[in-house]
Amino acid sequence: MTKKSGLMLFILLIFTVGVIFIGQNYQKKQKVDLVISNESSQKKKEIKEILKSESFEENRQQKSVIDYLVSLPIEEEVKTVSFYGDFSESEAWVLSVGDYIKEQVNDRIKVDSVALPEFDSYRLFEENTASLLIERKPAVVFFQVPIYGDQVRDISLSDSKEYTMKDYETIKQALPETLVVFVMPHPSSSRKGEYNSRTLDYTSYLEAVKETIKENNLPLFDLHEAYQTELQVTDLALEKTVIEDGKTLNNEGNTLYTKLFNEQLTLPIDTTSGK
C-alpha cells in the first residue's frame, strides 16, 4: 500500500467515524426533542384538563344548561342529551330545541329522545321506562313530567309525587353523574277544568309535583308558567296555539314552546345535582 493510499484510507476512516458520531448525536437530540415535545404536550393537556375542570366547577349553583354542557369535561367522543317523558317524538319543538343545543355547544353533542306520550308517572315507573334512557348514558336529561297522564289515571296527588320521584331516583341511581332537569309541559285549553273523580284537574298535579321538585332543590324548567306568561304579554289566546284537541301544539304553539325552551337553556339554574 502506498503512502497516498494509506492517507486516503485514514481520511475516509476519520470521515466515517465523524459521520457515525454526528448521526448518533443527531439521534440522541431527536430523542431528547421527542421526549420534551411529549412532555410539553402532556403538560398542555393536563393544564387544559385542569382549566376545563375549574370552568366546570365554577358557579355550579348559577350555571345555565348550555354553559354546563360547554364546560362539561369530555371523556368520551360524544355527549348525549336526552328528552324523556310525556311528549310525542313527532312534535316539532323536540327537533328544534335539539338543533339549538348542538349549535350552542359543539358537534360532539348527540340529541335523542325517549318519547312516551300519554304515559302517567305510575306507568313510567312500573314499566321501568327509565331503562330505555339509562342505556343511552346521557349527560343531561330533560324529564317532561306526565301531569296530564296522572290526571287521567285518577291517582292521588301523593302517589303522583311519589312515582315521579321514584322514576327520577331510578335514573340517578344508574346515572349519578347525569343532570336531570324536570320540565313542566305547556298548558292545555281542554284539560284545564276537566276534573277527575278526585275533583282534580291537571293543574293540581302540576302544582303538587312542582312543590316536591322545589323541596328537593332539583332543576326545573317551568315552561307551563312561562308559556302562560308569554300568552298574556302578547295577548294571544291559548286556543290559537293548539289544535282541536286543545292539547297538541300547532305550528304557532311549537314555535312558541321552542323559543321558551331555548330561553330556559340559557338561564342560570342549580346544576350541582349533575356531577
Side-chain angles (χ1 to χ4, degrees), residues 37 101 106 119 122 151-152 162 176 183 216 233-234 263:
S37 176
I101 291 171
N106 54 47
F119 270 58
Y122 173 81
Q151 191 269 342
V152 172
E162 181 183 352
V183 179
N216 287 278
V233 170
T234 58
E263 287 176 357

Side-chain angles (χ1 to χ4, degrees), residues 118-252:
E118 306 304 325
F119 270 58
D120 53 75
S121 60
Y122 173 81
R123 191 177 174 192
L124 283 181
F125 177 70
E126 286 298 313
E127 294 187 19
N128 193 25
T129 59
S131 63
L132 302 172
L133 184 70
I134 290 165
E135 65 186 21
R136 301 161 192 247
K137 298 180 180 178
V140 174
V141 172
F142 295 109
F143 180 177
Q144 187 135 313
V145 184
I147 53 173
Y148 293 112
D150 283 4
Q151 191 269 342
V152 172
R153 190 176 187 90
D154 204 1
I155 66 176
S156 67
L157 295 180
S158 60
D159 282 346
S160 177
K161 293 189 289 185
E162 181 183 352
Y163 285 114
T164 299
M165 293 310 298
K166 278 185 174 181
D167 200 43
Y168 167 79
E169 288 161 7
T170 299
I171 297 168
K172 290 296 289 183
Q173 284 172 4
L175 303 170
E177 296 186 355
T178 295
L179 176 66
V180 179
V181 180
F182 289 94
V183 179
M184 288 300 171
H186 62 83
S188 165
S189 61
S190 60
R191 296 289 184 87
K192 188 172 183 179
E194 184 181 301
Y195 299 100
N196 57 21
S197 69
R198 300 175 187 272
T199 323
L200 301 170
D201 73 354
Y202 84 84
T203 61
S204 305
Y205 294 91
L206 181 147
E207 293 302 329
V209 175
K210 188 160 65 171
E211 180 183 6
T212 298
I213 293 168
K214 290 182 176 179
E215 285 174 354
N216 287 278
N217 298 313
L218 297 173
L220 170 66
F221 285 1
D222 192 351
L223 290 176
H224 186 275
E225 182 176 330
Y227 201 99
Q228 287 186 318
T229 300
E230 187 72 13
L231 292 177
Q232 291 172 359
V233 170
T234 58
D235 196 25
L236 179 66
L238 173 58
E239 290 79 5
K240 296 290 184 180
T241 68
V242 292
I243 63 174
E244 290 180 2
D245 67 2
K247 179 176 178 290
T248 306
L249 295 172
N250 59 21
N251 290 338
E252 190 166 3

